Each structure stands twice: as structure tokens, then as C-alpha cells.
Amino acid sequence: MAECFGSAAGIIWGPFLLIPLLLVTGLYLSIRLGFIQILKLGPALRLALFERKDADAPGGDVSQFQALTTALAATVGTGNIVGVATAISIGGPGALFWMWVTGILGMASKYSEAFLGVRYRTMDAKGEISGGPQYYLQRGIRGGFGKFLALFFAVAAVLASFGIGNMTQGNSISGNVSESFGIPTWITGLVLAIMTMVVLVGGIKSIGRVTAAFVPVMIVFYVLGALFILLVNVGDIPAAIALIFTDAFTGTAAVGGFAGSAIILAIQMGVARGIFSNESGMGSAAIAAASAQTTHPVRQGLVSMTQTFIDTIIVVSCTGLVIITTGVWEQGSDFAATMTGEAFTHGLPGAWGHIIVTLGLVMFAYSTILGWAYYGERCMERLVGRGGVMPYRVVFSIVVFIGATIPLAAVWNFADVMNGLMALPNLLGLLIMSGLIVRETKHYLKNDPKLRAGKSEVDLFMRGRDGGIDTYEVIGR
């Protein structure tokens, strides 16, 4: 089974399918949107981190900030610790460059999918907001093709939630806690399962409250530890950055335990681990974005794209630079699982490095479990109706325990396959609906370039224009 998923992942994430589609889609949207991820990053960060919500915004279940932290919770996980180490240990330091490229171009994709998530969101029979590719692919692309893409995405997302968002995270937590503190994996798994179920029963509002308080603390905690190490090794940073850029285009020669890599391997690992980390183009973050209280899809799209910036340009960069400047990347891929912990141990006095990485991984991975539980239940609702939500939550919580207590030889490859199968229909949808995204984005930013318009102002310049939020109630669910 592991070999089967490994072969499928190799095809999906090979040089002729998802990697070029991800990069081309991100570049195409970046150009058509005028590199909005760069020109509007400042106002977007202000809106996301300081203002945090739109006053008098209609609809939505959580604030813009809570929607952002829910999406961040799902993306800032083991990919930021183990995933970065895996990419560098196989593809060399140049893989970090391609993770940056994936992140920067992915910000345009993340903006676009969040825009569509809000634009085509729906309301279920309980009055909760649902949105994401499982809805906008069908509503934005008329006919059987749009419906096929929407259902394909929903099935892949439900399956992926048990891989990337559940078993891999629970296993990473229990394994690291057992190694660092000697706690049996079954105890960690039981505690995780109970905590997960308690939070999930409260739905998106409960998840939003937890992540809004939890996510900023965990990111600051981890980043400060990394910055301390980089400050201690500040003299090695210029050489590390030079190595990243040169190896991105030349490959990496064998050194120490590192076996060497070609350019294509650096690109493949950088893009694959980059998308695993920030999920740009997968469509998952659009599900969280759809629940936000916002006055216009453009505003939440800009807030959501800051998620990729925080995840990749800040957290991933901190991990990658620590691994490279401390030299532990030369140990090779056999040590990828413990490489980040080893780097922090080298860089910090005493046992603090290992403790910080363990606690960081626990917080990152648990937050990912919560975020992906919400993604999975929204897609389960799309497939079988509202009645499928509570059974999904129960099964999801039980699987957390299972993942924490068994070996996971095939699950990482399974997660890569499901991630790819989610991304394919979503990326096609973004390309097909790019005209709508670009047209409405330009109209909004022409009238509110600094993102300071209130609800009344937005209503005024959107009057008579079919380009804002299109919410309707789903009957019979």
C-alpha cells in the first residue's frame, strides 16, 4: 500500500502535472491581479492583524481574524517543522528557494480561492455558513463539469482530512512527546481525541475562539526561538542565503551524509513541501474564509492571503535558515524527522532547543487537527447533508487516537496524494473563473484602495453590481 501511494504521489507531484499547474496558476493570477500579494500586503496585514473585523459586516459566523487563525491553524503544522527538514534533506538548501516561490505565487492563488469562497458561500438549515471549492466550483462553473469538480474536491478533502489533518499530526505529537517526556503514545492519543471532540462539538465558533487565542501565541513562541538561534549565528546567514539561491538552480553536491540532488529534485521537494505547508491552491483555506464576517469578498481574500505570507515567508523561512546555518541539513534524509529538533538543540543552550521544537510541534500539529476537522465536516455536509456532520466529528476524533498510536508508513504518501487530488479541481476552477476574480477585484480596489471603507461605503459603490457576496440558503439540509 505504501508503495502504491508513493508511486501515485510521484506522478501527481512530478514535473509534468501538479508542479507546473501550481506555478503557472499562481503566476497567471499574479500577473492578472497586478501582483496584488506584494502591492497590497501592507493594508492586508493591517486589516488582518490589527483591525481584525469589519464593523456591521453581514452574515458570517466568525470575525475575519478568527477565519484567518482557523486557516493558519490548519496550515502551520508538521509541514513547517518536519516538512521543511524533509525538503532540504532531500532536495538540498535550494528547496527552500522553491518553497518561497511557491509561497509568493501561492498568495495570489490563496487570495483568489478565498474571494470565491466568500462570493459563493451558502447557509445551511442550521443557519451556519458553508463555502469553499465544494460550492464555488459548481456555482461558478455552470453545467456538469462544475458539479463534477465540486464533488471531486469534496471527496478528496474528506479523505485528506484524515491524512494531512489528522493521523500524521497526531502521530507526530505522540511520537515527539514520548521521546521528549516519556509519556506513552496511547495516553497522548486519548488526551488529543478528547480535547478534539470537546472543541469540535462547538462548531466553527468554538474552533475560531480557540485558534484566535492559540495560534498567535504558538507562532510567536516558535519564531522567537528560531530568531535567537539566527542572531547567534548571524555571521552564517549571508552564506546560507547564497547557498539557497545557487543550489536552487544548480542542484546540491554530496556533502557529509547528504547524498546530493539535481535541480529538478530541489524544485519538486520545494513545491511539494511548500504546498503541504501553506496549502495555497488546494482550496482548503477558502472553507474557513467563507465563514468570515466581511463586507466584500476582496477584503477577506486579502486577509486570507496573509496566511501564506505568515506560514511560508516567516515560519518556514525561520525553520529552513536554522537548519542550514547550523549545518544539520548535511546529515541527510535519514534524519529528516529529527533534523529541526537537532538544529534547535545546536543553537540553544541546554535542552531548550529540543523542548521548544517539541512544544512547537505539539501546538502546530494540534491546531492543524482543529482546522482540518472543520474543512472535513464542511465537505462532508456538501456530500451527505447536515446529518453527516456530527458522525464525522466523532469518527475524526477517534481517528486522532488511532493515528497517535500506530505506525504510519503509508499515511504521508496518502496525504500527498489526497492533497494533490484536492488541488487539481481547485486550480482548474481558479483559471476558469479568473475573469470574475480580476474584474471584481479591480472594481473594489479602485473604490477602496487602502481598505478603509465601511459597510455603507461598500454598499454605495457596489449598488446595482452583481459582484459582492452571493449568499443563499440550502433547502432541505
Side-chain angles (χ1 to χ4, degrees):
M1 184 64 72
E3 292 181 1
C4 180
F5 283 127
S7 299
I11 295 173
I12 292 172
W13 289 101
F16 304 109
L17 186 56
L18 199 52
I19 287 179
L21 183 58
L22 276 165
L23 296 178
V24 168
T25 301
L27 180 60
Y28 177 73
L29 291 170
S30 296
I31 293 172
R32 292 205 64 185
L33 291 167
F35 286 91
I36 191 173
Q37 67 266 49
I38 297 173
L39 297 181
K40 294 299 178 182
L41 179 60
L45 287 169
R46 186 201 74 234
L47 183 61
L49 303 179
F50 298 100
E51 296 180 10
R52 298 194 174 192
K53 63 181 181 179
D54 280 350
D56 303 320
D61 296 324
V62 296
S63 70
Q64 289 175 322
F65 179 71
Q66 289 174 327
L68 170 65
T69 55
T70 299
L72 269 172
T75 56
V76 180
T78 56
N80 297 80
I81 297 178
V82 180
V84 177
T86 301
I88 295 174
S89 67
I90 297 176
L96 183 58
F97 171 84
W98 294 108
M99 293 184 82
W100 289 338
V101 171
T102 303
I104 293 171
L105 296 181
M107 288 175 70
S109 300
K110 185 66 65 74
Y111 166 82
S112 299
E113 60 195 22
F115 172 95
L116 293 173
V118 176
R119 171 70 175 83
Y120 290 112
R121 68 188 183 184
T122 69
M123 184 180 294
D124 65 21
K126 193 179 177 181
E128 293 183 353
I129 296 298
S130 289
Q134 72 274 27
Y135 289 103
Y136 67 62
L137 289 172
Q138 180 173 347
R139 298 187 65 201
I141 304 172
R142 300 298 181 184
F145 185 58
K147 184 175 183 180
F148 167 77
L149 292 178
L151 293 176
F152 189 97
F153 174 88
V155 171
V158 170
L159 293 175
S161 71
F162 290 101
I164 180 179
N166 189 316
M167 287 190 286
T168 58
Q169 310 297 330
N171 194 264
S172 295
I173 292 174
S174 64
N176 277 270
V177 169
S178 176
E179 183 180 344
S180 297
F181 306 114
I183 299 175
T185 56
W186 72 268
I187 292 179
T188 302
L190 183 61
V191 172
L192 283 175
I194 294 173
M195 290 174 59
T196 300
M197 189 63 200
V198 169
V199 176
L200 295 187
V201 166
I204 183 58
K205 293 182 179 179
S206 175
I207 295 173
R209 286 193 297 270
V210 172
T211 57
F214 189 60
V215 170
V217 173
M218 75 179 192
I219 291 177
V220 170
F221 173 78
Y222 180 79
V223 169
L224 285 178
L227 290 178
F228 177 85
I229 296 173
L230 293 177
L231 185 62
V232 171
N233 296 283
V234 66
D236 297 322
I237 293 178
I241 293 176
L243 185 63
I244 291 167
F245 279 89
T246 55
D247 286 6
F249 299 97
T250 63
T252 310
V255 55
F258 181 75
S261 68
I263 301 174
I264 188 62
L265 192 57
I267 297 174
Q268 183 176 357
M269 290 308 303
V271 174
R273 293 300 103 188
I275 192 66
F276 186 93
S277 174
N278 63 52
E279 298 177 15
S280 295
M282 282 177 56
S284 52
I287 301 174
S291 65
Q293 298 161 349
T294 185
T295 55
H296 195 280
V298 167
R299 296 174 71 86
Q300 185 56 42
L302 289 168
V303 168
S304 293
M305 82 176 187
T306 66
Q307 170 205 338
T308 300
F309 176 81
I310 294 170
D311 177 276
T312 303
I313 307 305
I314 296 179
V315 182
V316 164
S317 295
C318 285
T319 301
L321 286 172
V322 166
I323 289 173
I324 296 169
T325 55
T326 56
V328 299
W329 69 274
E330 297 178 4
Q331 295 176 351
S333 58
D334 290 342
F335 299 91
T338 58
M339 189 171 287
T340 303
E342 187 72 15
F344 271 70
T345 299
H346 276 305
L348 292 173
W352 280 105
H354 194 72
I355 292 174
I356 285 178
V357 170
T358 298
L359 293 179
L361 191 144
V362 168
M363 292 189 290
F364 286 5
Y366 179 65
S367 69
T368 298
I369 290 172
L370 296 182
W372 268 93
Y374 179 69
Y375 296 165
E377 75 170 50
R378 293 295 92 181
C379 288
M380 179 62 75
E381 179 197 39
R382 172 66 179 83
L383 293 171
V384 301
R386 181 75 198 182
V389 171
M390 188 54 70
Y392 171 85
R393 291 173 178 171
V394 173
V395 173
F396 188 91
S397 299
I398 293 172
V399 172
V400 171
F401 174 80
I402 295 173
T405 55
I406 64 171
L408 294 177
V411 172
W412 283 98
N413 285 331
F414 170 79
D416 277 341
V417 170
M418 290 303 113
N419 288 355
L421 293 180
M422 285 176 63
L424 286 172
N426 184 60
L427 291 169
L428 290 174
L430 294 183
L431 291 173
I432 293 170
M433 291 184 278
S434 60
L436 167 69
I437 299 167
V438 173
R439 181 178 69 249
E440 296 307 321
T441 298
K442 289 183 177 179
H443 175 76
Y444 184 89
L445 293 179
K446 178 181 177 181
N447 289 276
D448 184 22
K450 297 183 179 180
L451 305 182
R452 297 191 181 277
K455 181 179 181 300
S456 59
E457 295 174 88
V458 174
D459 290 342
L460 183 63
F461 66 70
M462 288 300 298
R463 183 173 298 168
R465 186 179 184 89
D466 182 25
I469 301 172
D470 181 18
T471 304
Y472 75 103
E473 186 172 355
V474 182
I475 304 299
R477 292 194 176 186

